[in-house]
Amino acid sequence: MTVIDALAALLASPLLTAAELHDDPEAVRARFGLTEEDLALLAGVPDAAYARVARDVAAKYSRVVAQAMPDTVDEVTERHRGVLEDYLAATVRLPHPDDPVGSVRAAESFLRHVAGRLPAGLVEFGRFELERLRLSRDEIASDAARYWHETGARQLRELGETWIEHGVPVVPATVLVASYGHDVTAREAPAHIPDVPVTVALQRVWREPVRAFRLEPGTRDLLALCDGTRTARRAAAEAGAPPAQAGAVLLALARAGLLVPRGGPDG
């Protein structure tokens, strides 16, 4: 290790503090392999300067987390600031925090840290925001969204009773179905997140923000059965959909882009 590593530890991680540098300089020198000149250089910087830079680094890292979970971080900052500050003080900053992967990893680290420290519903909402971000950046989902944008209208015109009876629907790569223990879709979220389990379909749309649909249990079960191994009619029957309504439900899901004929966007 070098003096640069020691300086990084002082400014951007909990691995070294200015107090430790002054209280036990020989231990610091041995740990980082410093020369006497290196040690004197680090010790000569006022503690207030280290503290100021460390605060700036923490604030920038907070913004990195917020890139992935903006509403979650706003709510935590407003109502649970101490939890956020504890996380920032205890976290080793990740390299390259401004790249897309860096913000996702920072958000994952934050959610692991705050589990049990924040209301469970708020943590669930953070997971919801993070999954929405992942889908928006997924290259396969992006390609599928573009393909559906270009061909979806034609495919939908071809749907009808024949497709319901013999076609094989699939949930496309543009759609992610996720379940949560709290209603992350509530109008007041994330300030108020009811303790009500929900299943949500997140949908990647070409050149638009990711959409979120709250699914009723029957619709959730129907989508789970549309895995490319059953006809539309059989999937509806196994999901318990009334025959008189099955066709309308399937067509509505297809028109919303939550189901496509096999060979569609991701086929």
Side-chain angles (χ1 to χ4, degrees):
M1 298 220 272
T2 68
V3 66
I4 299 300
D5 296 311
L7 183 60
L10 277 164
L11 299 178
S13 86
L15 300 179
L16 181 62
T17 66
E20 185 180 1
L21 177 64
H22 296 307
D23 293 345
D24 198 354
E26 283 305 309
V28 173
R29 187 174 71 80
R31 187 194 316 172
F32 291 94
L34 304 178
T35 66
E36 292 293 343
E37 291 76 11
D38 292 338
L39 189 62
L41 177 66
L42 293 177
V45 177
D47 290 357
Y50 282 129
R52 182 173 63 254
V53 175
R55 286 195 299 271
D56 290 343
V57 171
K60 291 178 181 178
Y61 190 68
S62 176
R63 290 195 288 272
V64 171
V65 179
Q67 289 175 11
M69 304 183 302
D71 292 342
T72 302
V73 172
D74 282 349
E75 178 65 15
V76 172
T77 302
E78 177 70 22
R79 300 177 188 272
H80 308 278
R81 182 180 292 272
V83 176
L84 177 60
E85 291 175 348
D86 288 346
Y87 167 74
L88 294 172
T91 301
V92 177
R93 317 296 180 232
L94 299 172
H96 310 298
D98 294 326
D99 68 49
V101 175
S103 63
V104 170
R105 289 176 178 169
E108 291 171 339
S109 171
F110 176 74
L111 289 177
R112 286 193 298 270
H113 179 87
V114 300
R117 295 178 172 89
L118 290 177
L122 184 54
V123 177
E124 289 273 272
F125 187 86
R127 186 164 68 88
F128 167 65
E129 280 201 288
L130 183 54
E131 286 168 343
R132 195 166 54 190
L133 175 72
R134 283 199 187 99
L135 186 61
S136 74
R137 292 178 171 173
D138 186 278
E139 292 184 4
I140 295 175
S142 177
D143 290 343
R146 180 175 60 185
Y147 183 87
W148 185 249
H149 175 75
E150 295 170 350
T151 69
R154 174 182 56 77
Q155 294 190 55
L156 291 176
R157 284 196 299 269
E158 297 172 359
L159 298 183
E161 284 300 320
T162 300
W163 175 73
I164 293 170
E165 197 64 43
H166 304 291
V168 179
V170 295
V171 177
T174 53
V175 174
L176 171 67
V177 177
S179 295
Y180 304 93
H182 295 73
D183 187 2
V184 295
T185 68
R187 184 183 299 273
E188 302 85 0
H192 177 64
I193 306 174
D195 186 7
V196 178
V198 296
T199 299
V200 178
L202 297 172
Q203 183 186 36
R204 177 74 162 84
V205 181
W206 182 241
R207 292 182 174 175
E208 292 184 25
V210 171
R211 297 173 181 172
F213 300 88
R214 179 174 173 172
L215 302 178
E216 296 300 323
T219 305
R220 174 200 63 202
D221 296 343
L222 179 58
L223 288 176
L225 290 166
C226 292
D227 58 0
T229 65
R230 302 170 177 82
T231 64
R233 181 71 73 189
R234 180 182 166 195
E238 290 186 23
Q245 300 176 13
V249 171
L250 289 161
L251 288 174
L253 290 172
R255 290 186 179 115
L258 301 182
L259 285 178
V260 297
R262 188 165 59 183
D266 63 336

